Amino acid sequence: MAELAKQLKGELNRYSDNEKLPSSRALVERFRVSPVTVSRALAQLAAEGLVVTRPGAGVFKAAARTAAPAGDTSWQEVALSAEGGTDLVPRAVDASGVLVTLSAPPPGVVEFNGGYLHEVLQPGAAMAAALARAGRRPGAWTRPPVDGLPELREWFARGIGGAVTDAEVLITSGGQSALGTALRALAPPGAPVLVESPTYPGMLAIARAAGLRPVPVPVDPDGVRPDLLEQAFRATGARLFVCQPLFQNPTGAVLAPERRPEVLRIARAAGAFVIEDDFVRRLAHEDAGPLPRPLATDDADGVVVHVCSLTKATSPSLRIGCLAARGPVLERLRAIQVVDQLFVPRPLQEATLELVGSPAWPRHLRTVAGELKRRRDLLVAGLRQRLPELSVPHVPAGGYHLWARLPDGTDERHLVTAALHAGVAVAPGRPYFAAEPPAPHIRFSFVAVASAAEITEGVRRLEAAWHRNAFDAEGSDLRGSADD
């Protein structure tokens, strides 16, 4: 399809504005492709504003667009900076850490910075079948309950381990939306919010967009450190802590059993909530063994607000997740959810029910668990063999990423740029820290590539970039200069 669209685009200069293009049948015969391929190629050109489709008449070259006169938008700098008081946190949003995982790299680049399953790992056929069945369900296109379909809420409640009932679950448009709702519900603008350090850049972006002030609490291989968490609550007066107890992003750490009750005790003593982002429970690796229960299952006092999603385990376009909470906070979460979204589209909820209720669902999870382990092991072995200068202190048994520490003094920005020039995209570590990072890092994702062969090739390219920049113990282009 992409090749046909490129060819058609190159031929458009032969046509006058509003001149009709050959029929779809003629294009099928000429290029010897299927009608579907022709339809998609024309749809691509239409999306780019190059052609116009007129039902019953055909496809026509779009008239050249006249550029609108440039206006003066400089006034917006003042308006966007006027926060109405000196006590509020500036709400300028840096989305670069999120866009890294959403932006497709140039063709031919090995994608070690993606945040979603590659198409070959997605349950595409099962999702398509589920969507088709859902569309035939009675009432599939009617308005759903604002809290979500009862059957789907019950399914999520079971997955949390019986700690909450279906009445305490709200269906959301994915995990990012759920996090945004929870942060706005639990902390007023200008308030501090405790976050793991390092942590997911998308969460930092949401917090800052809501006018909150992220305060970092260091993580080690056993998860967040309770002593520093308690200290941070005392020092800041925060009433909210956001954490990922299972396969934390980016470190892959799992909160140790002895720390779980400590985290809840500390938060309860501070009169604070804990947002548990249980984002990759369904991406455990084949060798993971029994997983610890969600933190919410150990909480009888309504301290934990649980967030989870199906997006990471399926497709970036299956944006279905949940918020679970007990007590008065549930009503506030519901109110913000309704004001922001009204409800999650019913066809998507129905399709999700069809998917998770089908025999294909457990098969998909088993397949992904095996493939993730193979990819993880291949990436770890490749890095240790070809780039021993990079330290991978923790190899997780779940999730989709590795967190690598670079030698002291390495300029991670230069390394990321050099890697991209060599044809491999990695994520710099800086966006994962709410404050100054203690050391340079990069994050590797192994789910956005098409095959194991791409992992091997990506490591080879990264090694070439490393040595081309003459990194060594005496300093190089990848070292920060004394003037930086």
Side-chain angles (χ1 to χ4, degrees), residues 8-389:
L8 293 176
K9 188 185 300 185
E11 295 181 1
L12 282 177
N13 59 358
R14 302 179 186 175
Y15 298 87
S16 303
D17 288 354
N18 298 312
E19 183 177 352
K20 185 176 181 180
L21 273 64
S23 68
S24 295
R25 179 178 296 179
L27 294 175
V28 167
E29 294 175 355
R30 176 185 168 192
F31 292 102
R32 298 185 181 280
V33 294
S34 72
V36 172
T37 299
V38 169
S39 176
R40 289 178 176 174
L42 293 174
Q44 177 64 38
L45 297 186
E48 296 178 22
L50 300 176
V51 301
V52 176
T53 301
R54 298 172 186 167
V59 178
F60 298 79
K61 181 181 177 182
R65 288 174 288 186
T66 304
D72 180 8
T73 61
S74 58
W75 65 271
Q76 292 185 5
E77 294 184 43
V78 177
L80 292 172
S81 301
E83 297 291 340
T86 59
D87 58 331
L88 296 181
V89 177
R91 296 181 67 177
V93 181
D94 180 5
S96 58
V98 182
L99 291 173
V100 162
T101 64
L102 295 178
S103 303
V109 171
V110 176
E111 190 174 2
F112 277 156
N113 62 344
Y116 300 102
L117 295 181
H118 189 277
E119 190 174 352
V120 300
L121 296 177
Q122 296 173 19
M127 289 190 295
L131 189 60
R133 292 194 301 271
R136 296 192 294 269
R137 283 188 169 197
W141 294 92
T142 61
R143 185 183 65 205
V146 294
D147 289 356
L149 297 181
E151 302 93 332
L152 191 54
R153 292 162 62 199
E154 181 183 4
W155 184 85
F156 273 111
R158 289 198 306 270
I160 301 171
V164 296
T165 67
D166 56 341
E168 295 167 326
V169 171
L170 306 175
I171 301 302
T172 67
S173 296
Q176 187 82 347
S177 171
L179 285 172
T181 295
L183 284 169
R184 290 173 54 209
L186 302 177
V193 53
L194 305 187
V195 301
E196 295 171 314
S197 181
T199 191
Y200 166 53
M203 194 279 298
L204 295 176
I206 296 171
R208 289 171 175 145
L212 305 180
R213 177 166 55 89
V215 177
V217 183
V219 169
D220 65 20
D222 290 325
V224 69
R225 287 181 50 182
D227 58 330
L228 297 180
L229 179 65
E230 191 165 26
Q231 180 182 329
F233 271 124
R234 284 199 307 266
T236 65
R239 294 292 180 266
L240 181 60
F241 170 51
V242 185
C243 66
Q244 296 175 330
L246 184 65
F247 307 132
Q248 195 255 2
N249 183 6
T251 66
V254 176
L255 187 61
E258 64 273 14
R259 292 188 180 184
R260 291 166 60 95
E262 277 293 282
V263 168
L264 294 178
R265 179 192 64 77
I266 291 167
R268 182 69 182 87
F273 288 98
V274 174
I275 297 177
E276 176 186 27
D277 183 10
D278 200 19
F279 72 116
V280 285
R281 180 165 293 273
R282 295 171 181 86
L283 289 185
H285 301 173
E286 196 173 49
D287 59 348
L291 300 182
R293 302 181 305 173
L295 200 59
T297 62
D298 297 333
D299 168 41
D301 299 327
V303 171
V304 177
V305 173
H306 181 88
V307 173
C308 67
S309 168
L310 289 178
T311 304
K312 293 294 186 187
T314 54
S315 159
S317 289
L318 188 65
R319 305 209 62 77
I320 288 286
C322 86
L323 273 166
R326 62 162 54 94
V329 69
L330 181 64
E331 186 54 41
R332 181 176 295 185
L333 292 167
R334 177 185 291 114
I336 293 179
Q337 163 98 348
V338 169
V339 169
D340 281 354
Q341 301 181 29
L342 298 183
F343 48 79
V344 177
R346 183 166 191 148
L348 198 57
Q349 294 191 57
E350 297 278 10
T352 301
L353 277 171
E354 289 283 353
L355 175 64
V356 299
S358 71
W361 178 242
R363 288 199 301 268
H364 165 66
L365 295 181
R366 287 194 299 271
T367 299
V368 169
E371 183 62 23
L372 290 182
K373 177 185 180 300
R374 286 188 288 275
R375 289 172 174 230
R376 178 203 68 193
D377 292 346
L378 183 62
L379 180 56
V380 170
L383 291 175
R384 288 175 174 170
Q385 178 184 357
R386 289 182 173 271
L387 288 163
E389 301 90 344

